[in-house]
Amino acid sequence: MLLECGLTLTDRSRREHMPIETITWTGEKVRLIDQTLLPAEERHLELGSVEEIWEAIKMLRVRGAPAIGVAAALGLCAGIRGSRATSWAEFEPELKRAAGYLASARPTAVNLSWALERMVRLAETVRDQPVAAIKERLLAEATAMIEEDHRICRAMGEHGAALLTDGQGVLTHCNTGGLATAGLGTALNVVFTAHRQGKRVHVFADETRPLLQGARLTAWECLREGVPCTLICDSMAAVVMRQGKVKSVLVGADRIAANGDTANKIGTYMLAVLAKEHGIGFYVVAPLSTIDRAIASGDEIPIEERGAEEIIRGFGRQTAPSGVQVFNPAFDVTPHRLIAGIVTERGVAGPPYTESLRAMFEESAMRPHRPVKRG
Ligand code: MRU
């Protein structure tokens, strides 16, 4: 059973500059804002089982690559809390089964399997300890990811803000703000950081069909933060560029291959092509955990396809005739040659990305991904 906690914050001034509590740990359960209800309603869910977390990730109640990684890590802790295992031999299969199941919720964002793999690896290093101690270590690791995410978002915000100039417009796609992370956001936080630094920046937010993350979530975050924002339909991006309203496009990423090819929300590739035509800088903003060095190019990135209902009955209303054939990929891959730079917590990587991204990893000593077996 989901425990639903109604929360209505009506005083906008009180909310400004208050970080969004996208994901927190209550002590027993994972607490997250149900993003499917925004902007109409701010309601938090408290979820205590892997099945509930899986459903929340699958249905995009929690979404955005870094956010689903952290939610899954905490969800794993919630799920194994009740385990009666008394030895590593009993505990290990339970842990791996739950991790594999959570990893199967969405295939494209590598942060999901990255976070789960990190949890499983950690458990393996403390396997000699009593199960209760292993559980405690896992919880400490998952909650530390929230704080770590804040630090990483802050660093990306600062590196990226240096690319923006006073008075410029920025085109965004999907939602890459605090809602998409456990922290402050990726691409949208670059704009927010520039705004806090005193630069006059204006967001042009693509509504982002079919699930409207731009309209429902990015516009909501911009209003909350007091950053000027104009909402446009996806089909208006070319005109906005042609009229000189934007000088940069900033997007997030769900998985970046070793050569810089970037999977992100469907429609991103189209924006990169348009940006090239108009001589506009197209930048990706993502933490190193979104970079999958195990794959050489974007051809190997699995692309999630979602149900026809999202297009035939957009938000519960008939928006196309039932029975029509629908193609609904949730992500596309932007070739690295269209990307001017990739902003990470380590700085801004430029082409050729195979070398610049490798150098960032070498500096950070982050281990390569070892995918969790999906259950
Ligand atoms: O399907 P979603 O809403 O999870 O897609 C999210 C995106 O495509 C974001 O741009 C991406 O996760 C990076 S934002 C931190």
Side-chain angles (χ1 to χ4, degrees):
M1 259 293 275
L2 305 185
L3 175 66
E4 295 182 346
C5 311
L7 178 74
T8 319
L9 286 174
T10 46
D11 180 359
R12 177 167 296 150
S13 63
R14 250 191 323 133
R15 304 184 312 175
E16 255 176 44
H17 308 299
M18 239 171 65
I20 301 166
E21 291 209 325
T22 308
I23 309 165
T24 50
W25 176 250
T26 66
E28 289 182 359
K29 293 185 176 188
V30 188
R31 183 171 190 270
L32 43 91
I33 189 163
D34 185 343
Q35 300 190 32
T36 61
L37 302 177
L38 288 169
E41 194 180 342
E42 290 176 43
R43 188 190 302 179
H44 284 81
L45 306 172
E46 291 187 4
L47 310 177
S49 72
V50 287
E51 289 77 16
E52 287 172 344
I53 293 288
W54 186 92
E55 192 271 352
I57 294 172
K58 181 81 190 168
M59 301 311 292
L60 276 60
R61 298 185 198 289
V62 58
R63 42 140 308 276
I68 62 177
V70 175
L74 286 170
L76 187 63
C77 296
I80 51 146
R81 259 181 108 241
S83 162
R84 299 204 174 147
T86 54
S87 66
W88 172 251
E90 284 172 13
F91 187 64
E92 182 189 17
E94 276 183 39
L95 180 72
K96 290 191 172 166
R97 203 167 35 247
Y101 174 61
L102 285 166
S104 74
R106 296 191 77 188
T108 303
V110 75
N111 304 64
L112 178 60
S113 56
W114 171 82
L116 291 163
E117 172 217 321
R118 176 168 155 181
M119 298 290 281
V120 170
R121 266 193 184 169
L122 172 77
E124 284 168 347
T125 64
V126 291
R127 58 192 290 165
D128 296 333
Q129 297 185 14
V131 172
I134 300 174
K135 287 183 188 171
E136 258 176 50
R137 283 289 284 114
L138 286 172
L139 182 57
E141 185 79 358
T143 49
M145 282 183 197
I146 298 177
E147 184 46 41
E148 185 183 293
D149 205 36
H150 272 83
R151 256 187 292 116
I152 290 171
C153 290
R154 202 167 297 120
M156 289 188 294
E158 272 155 27
H159 292 304
L163 300 167
L164 303 185
T165 52
D166 185 35
Q168 81 155 94
V170 179
L171 186 65
T172 66
H173 194 61
C174 196
N175 170 263
T176 58
L179 289 168
T181 64
L184 308 163
T186 58
L188 193 61
N189 188 48
V190 166
V191 186
F192 288 2
T193 304
H195 172 79
R196 286 184 205 125
Q197 288 171 350
K199 288 181 187 160
R200 286 161 303 154
V201 277
H202 192 112
V203 171
F204 283 81
D206 268 355
E207 66 175 351
T208 317
R209 286 280 290 146
L211 295 182
L212 303 179
Q213 288 93 330
R216 296 185 301 107
L217 310 175
T218 301
W220 180 78
E221 285 201 44
C222 286
L223 291 179
R224 194 177 180 278
E225 185 72 20
V227 170
C229 171
T230 302
L231 179 63
I232 60 166
C233 301
D234 302 341
S235 48
M236 297 164 191
V239 167
V240 164
M241 290 187 195
R242 184 145 196 196
Q243 291 184 354
K245 291 188 186 334
V246 296
K247 213 177 126 200
S248 330
V249 179
L250 295 187
V251 297
D254 287 82
R255 193 185 296 229
I256 301 173
N259 70 348
D261 289 352
T262 295
N264 189 49
K265 179 52 57 195
I266 190 75
T268 302
Y269 172 33
M270 179 174 76
L271 293 180
V273 174
L274 285 175
K276 187 171 177 64
E277 168 69 17
H278 293 90
I280 287 169
F282 179 93
Y283 293 92
V284 172
V285 185
L288 289 181
S289 55
T290 303
I291 300 169
D292 187 351
R293 284 181 292 164
I295 58 172
S297 83
D299 295 344
E300 295 169 65
I301 300 178
I303 300 294
E304 174 183 10
E305 279 197 35
R306 297 186 62 86
E309 278 298 285
E310 287 181 354
I311 292 175
I312 293 178
R313 292 191 61 80
F315 288 90
R317 197 173 162 275
Q318 191 88 30
T319 42
S322 301
V324 69
Q325 284 186 43
V326 164
F327 176 48
N328 186 16
F331 302 96
D332 58 27
V333 176
T334 299
H336 60 88
R337 64 173 186 283
L338 298 177
I339 300 171
I342 299 178
V343 181
T344 77
E345 64 271 36
R346 291 257 153 197
V348 184
Y353 293 107
T354 312
E355 279 85 60
S356 58
L357 295 177
R358 189 193 305 123
M360 279 189 179
F361 273 105
E362 278 166 10
E363 258 177 52
S364 78
M366 193 188 262
R367 296 160 108 179
H369 291 300
R370 185 189 65 178
V372 165
K373 211 163 155 256
R374 287 164 198 275

